[in-house]
Each structure stands twice: as C-alpha cells, then as structure tokens.
Amino acid sequence: MTTRTRTNPNATGPAPGDAPAEKVYWCELAWLNGTVEPQVVLEVTGQGRLGAIRTAVGTPPPGATVLRGLTLPGLANAHSHAFHRALRGTVQVGSGTFWTWRDSMYQTAARLTPDSYYTLARAVYAEMALAGITCVGEFHYLHHGPGGERYDDPNAMSHALVAAAADAGIRITLLDTAYLASGIGRKGRGEAPTRQQLRFSDGTAQAWAERVSAFRPQGDHVRTGAAVHSVRAVPARELGTVAQWAEERGAPLHVHLSEQTAENEACLGVHGMTPTALLAEHGVLTPRTTAVHATHLDKDDIRRIGRSGTGVCMCPTTERDLADGIGPAPALDRAGAALSLGSDSHAVIDLFEEARAMELDERLASRTRGHWTAGQLLRAATEGGHTALGWPESSRLETGALADFTTVGLDSVRTAGPVPRLAAEVAVFAATAADVRHTVVGGRHIVRDGAHTLVDDVPGALAHAIAALRP
C-alpha cells in the first residue's frame, strides 16, 4: 500500500528537543514501525510530542500511566460530515437510493444553527475520540443560514466546528467546501442551487475564496484545507479557483469523485470526459489532493489518479449503506494512490470496521483473500489519513511525532485469545470502536478506561443534540 509524505507549512508548536518528559506511558503492547512490540515506554515532552521511546521495559516506571492492550498511532478519520450523524437509524426505514437519502439529509441541514451545530458536532467528535480517532477531516459545506442568508460572521458555522473539536479533545482539518450548483447543467455552466442548497453556496468560487481567506481559526488543534464538493456542484470554469487557493497555501484539497454513476453520465454527456479527467484538466489532481469514494472509475481514471499523486479516501460503510458500489481500491493502490479511510455519513463511527470492510468487500467482489495485510490497513487508518489531512507528524509512534495514540483492549469477548504477536490482526479483523480503552491527543488523556474525560455523558449529549433537530 502506497503512503505519501507531505511537508506542512502550517505546523504549530516548537520542534521536539531534549525537553524532559512531562508524562510517561507504559504500553503493554505498541505498534512501532509495523511491528507489535511488548512493554513499550512512551515519554511525552512538555510540547505534547513523543520524546524517548523504549522497548522491553518489563516494569512500568514509577508514576507511569499503564495502557493495557495494543497502543496504536491515533486513528485519522479523513472524511466526515458531522451533521449526518443525526440521520443514523432514521434513514434505514424502507428502501430508496442515494438521492432519496439526500432528501432526508437536506431536511436535517435546514434546521441547524451555529449553536446547534456546535452542540451536535461536539458530541459527534467525542464519539470519535471514544472510537480512537484523534484527528478528523470535516468536509464542511453548511456555510450560511436558511435561504442562503449570511451570518454576521460568514464563517460562523466553521468556527462552531473548530470549537466543537477543541472541546471534544481532538484535532481537526476544516475542509471548507465549495458547493455552487445543483448539477452540471447545459454546457457545464452549472444549474442554480435548489432551495435546500442555498445554505451551501457562496455563489462563485471567487466569493468562496474570499470568505475562506477571512477565516482565522484559533488553536493548535486546527488546520484549514479546501474541498470541491463534486463536479456536479462546482462548474468546470470554477474548479481552477479552488485548486489555486489550496496550492498557494500548500493546503489539503479534497473532492467527492464518481460516487454515483449518474455523476459520470452527466459529466460525459456535457464535457465528453469523466469527472477524473475533468478534474485533471483543471489542476485539481495533485499530491495534496484526496479523492473521496472514487467508486466508478475506468482504467484511464485510475492511471490519472496514480500519476498525479492524488490519494483516495475510501468510506466502505457509507458506500455500502447507500448502495453506491465497491470502489477499485486495489487497482488504485497499485497505481500509486495512497489510501485513507473515513466514516463519512456516520452510519457507524468505527475505523476498524472501515479498515476491514475495505478488505472484506474486495474479497466479495473478487472472491479472493488477502488484498492487504493488517499492517497495511492500519496504515490507511493512521498514516494515510493524517497525511491526507495535513498532519503527517501525527502518523507514527516515533520520537518527535505528536503524542497522539489510542489503545485497543485485547481482553473483550471480541479480542481475547490470540497470542500477542497477532494483536494487529485482532485489532483490524475483530475489534470494534467499543474496544478502545484509551485515547491520548498531544499527551493529554482524552479517553481513559473507555470514558471520555471532557464530555461526561457522550450518549446523552448525542441524544440531546439530535432530538433538538427533530421537527
């Protein structure tokens, strides 16, 4: 599986040095450089980075926090729409398609305010922390008030999400999304947004860029990137503006790509080329770009993505929930596209499920096993996601990295039994989010013994936030 290395001009915090350890963690098992190592000490500096890392330390040092189970780099959720969490369960009544699901999504979006979005997102991000996620990529397009009316602060919804992540204790890359049209339209000029979509649209890509450029988030836990919602929602003539904004800032750029066949058919009918080819023509495919879903691609599309260095975020749970199909992940991997994972619509929030689903779905499609090892799937859930979100220094447990990690219990009914050297296989193919015992972000214990340390009652917070959005 391909991995990408990116420099990050927005990196915050002092460089790691010889500062004395502020905290010490003793891990029963830890995943270091693709290997399960026993009895590992992780020292955390005063800057929230990993200092010395020692293996085969048989007894926890005095004062060390003991982490029983397998400690991994923090999981990175590379694709999230936080408000979709309010749809869980309700969209499973009856049948339908992606398009009927979208109608339910619009109804929920219409009821959100900056305050209610903060309340919901804080609970959702706390659920992510409980699932071992230390960083989220929020693909954010709910910018304005009902009917498209601008808030006094045009970035009020963005600030709500950033504050929610801070108060839930995780990092966030706010992927501010250009969403300008309801469809490709005649001659590719874009169809006017529907009434429900007016909240999403800035009118033009230039107006989008001006709004995003004025966004000044506070905190070391946040970085900003850009997103093209899709070739349906951003006319071809506007694509270059979004790509240029990201290029000038060295920022991550994400895009929904070929999620449904209808998107491909419309793009071919108007532009005479696939969405992938159209994005390539307008400079959207770059080593800083991540294509989300990439479900319906032809061989030329796969080659274009691989040659450009574009990564791909797979969201298997959402893709199967919406009956979108199984993307060509093995072919993309072979072509050189680095893979990451996302929970997208949050039908569940569980990156272990996403990791194994990528392998197991491909087994169903190909009737063969072993497309990726457990280690490769863990890299997609950790290193791949952090790189896609512009946090490469959170990718591994190594000296100088940000002290972001999570511990999976190996003593539950799902995980008990196998020998320690198979702990990575157990985590990927048997564990669930419910097996996460600890989550640490910047050396700070956010989840301890399965309980969130900042949000007292996460289920209650979710229930309260979602109930407030019902008609």
Side-chain angles (χ1 to χ4, degrees), residues 31 36 70 72 374-375 378 420-429:
W31 195 60
V36 175
L70 174 65
L72 305 164
L378 281 177
R421 66 180 176 83
L422 297 178
E425 285 75 11
V426 172
V428 171
F429 290 104

Side-chain angles (χ1 to χ4, degrees), residues 331-392:
L332 286 162
D333 190 6
R334 290 192 297 270
L339 300 180
S340 56
L341 297 165
S343 62
D344 191 6
S345 66
H346 310 317
V348 297
I349 294 176
D350 187 338
L351 284 200
F352 300 113
E353 175 63 23
E354 303 296 345
R356 67 172 156 266
M358 189 164 69
E359 166 68 23
L360 298 181
D361 287 357
E362 189 58 35
R363 290 182 187 183
L364 286 174
S366 66
R367 291 185 289 177
T368 59
R369 305 178 79 219
H371 301 277
W372 297 280
T373 66
Q376 289 172 319
L377 294 169
L378 281 177
R379 286 193 182 94
T382 56
E383 186 173 349
H386 283 114
T387 301
L389 297 177
W391 294 89

Side-chain angles (χ1 to χ4, degrees), residues 73-419:
L75 306 179
N77 189 352
H79 190 66
S80 163
H81 303 291
F83 76 92
H84 290 190
R85 174 63 178 82
L87 301 173
R88 187 181 294 178
T90 64
V91 291
Q92 302 299 343
V93 178
S95 59
T97 66
F98 167 86
W99 308 103
T100 55
W101 171 90
R102 190 176 70 162
D103 290 338
S104 297
M105 180 268 287
Y106 285 159
Q107 293 171 20
T108 298
R111 301 185 187 107
L112 284 162
T113 66
D115 287 344
S116 62
Y117 205 3
Y118 162 81
T119 301
L120 175 61
R122 173 177 173 267
V124 175
Y125 296 153
E127 181 182 357
M128 290 186 192
L130 289 172
I133 293 164
T134 58
C135 185
V136 60
E138 186 60 39
F139 198 101
H140 169 53
Y141 55 82
L142 185 53
H143 302 306
H144 307 298
E149 182 180 358
R150 272 43 175 178
Y151 293 108
D152 291 341
D153 178 352
N155 291 298
M157 295 295 254
S158 299
H159 285 296
L161 290 165
V162 169
D167 292 346
I170 70 172
R171 304 186 194 276
I172 184 172
T173 297
L174 198 290
L175 297 162
D176 198 292
T177 303
Y179 192 132
L180 310 175
S182 63
I184 291 175
R186 295 181 62 189
K187 298 184 179 180
R189 295 174 180 169
E191 297 174 355
T194 65
R195 177 180 54 82
Q196 300 98 323
Q197 295 167 340
L198 289 172
R199 297 196 71 174
F200 311 158
S201 178
D202 289 294
T204 67
Q206 184 58 43
W208 167 86
E210 290 170 1
R211 178 182 55 75
V212 182
S213 296
F215 180 48
R216 297 286 188 272
Q218 300 297 312
D220 290 347
H221 73 295
V222 57
R223 291 175 184 171
T224 305
V228 170
H229 180 275
S230 59
V231 299
R232 290 183 290 106
V234 180
R237 68 180 184 279
E238 307 271 23
L239 291 170
T241 300
V242 183
Q244 183 179 359
W245 187 93
E247 180 181 3
E248 289 173 351
R249 292 159 179 78
L253 175 61
H254 288 218
V255 55
H256 288 139
L257 176 62
S258 292
E259 186 176 0
Q260 298 88 28
T261 54
E263 175 183 308
N264 287 8
E265 292 163 0
C267 192
L268 284 164
V270 172
H271 295 291
M273 62 181 74
T274 67
T276 301
L278 185 68
L279 293 174
E281 186 174 88
H282 290 274
V284 177
L285 301 186
T286 77
R288 289 176 291 95
T289 303
T290 297
V292 182
H293 302 302
T295 306
H296 304 286
L297 306 179
D298 63 26
K299 291 181 180 179
D300 288 338
D301 292 336
I302 292 169
R303 283 194 290 269
R304 283 189 181 93
I305 289 170
R307 285 198 301 263
S308 67
T310 296
V312 174
C313 177
M314 307 301 291
C315 306
T317 297
T318 293
E319 287 148 11
R320 62 192 181 188
D321 180 46
L322 298 180
D324 287 336
I326 300 171
L332 286 162
D333 190 6
R334 290 192 297 270
L339 300 180
S340 56
L341 297 165
S343 62
D344 191 6
S345 66
H346 310 317
V348 297
I349 294 176
D350 187 338
L351 284 200
F352 300 113
E353 175 63 23
E354 303 296 345
R356 67 172 156 266
M358 189 164 69
E359 166 68 23
L360 298 181
D361 287 357
E362 189 58 35
R363 290 182 187 183
L364 286 174
S366 66
R367 291 185 289 177
T368 59
R369 305 178 79 219
H371 301 277
W372 297 280
T373 66
Q376 289 172 319
L377 294 169
L378 281 177
R379 286 193 182 94
T382 56
E383 186 173 349
H386 283 114
T387 301
L389 297 177
W391 294 89
E393 70 273 48
S394 294
S395 297
R396 300 187 181 194
L397 298 180
E398 60 186 18
T399 299
L402 291 170
D404 298 355
F405 44 90
T406 188
T407 303
V408 182
L410 299 176
D411 56 356
S412 76
V413 292
R414 291 169 294 279
T415 60
V419 295

Side-chain angles (χ1 to χ4, degrees), residues 56-71:
V57 180
T59 303
T65 299
V66 175
L67 305 179
R68 296 286 178 188
L70 174 65
T71 297

Side-chain angles (χ1 to χ4, degrees), residues 23 25 65 122 125-127 129-130 166-170 437-441 443-458:
K23 296 181 181 178
Y25 292 90
T65 299
R122 173 177 173 267
Y125 296 153
E127 181 182 357
L130 289 172
D167 292 346
I170 70 172
R437 298 289 181 265
H438 304 277
T439 300
V440 174
V441 181
R444 184 184 184 193
H445 220 138
I446 302 301
V447 173
R448 186 190 300 270
D449 295 322
H452 204 289
T453 62
L454 304 179
V455 181
D456 290 337
D457 178 8
V458 178

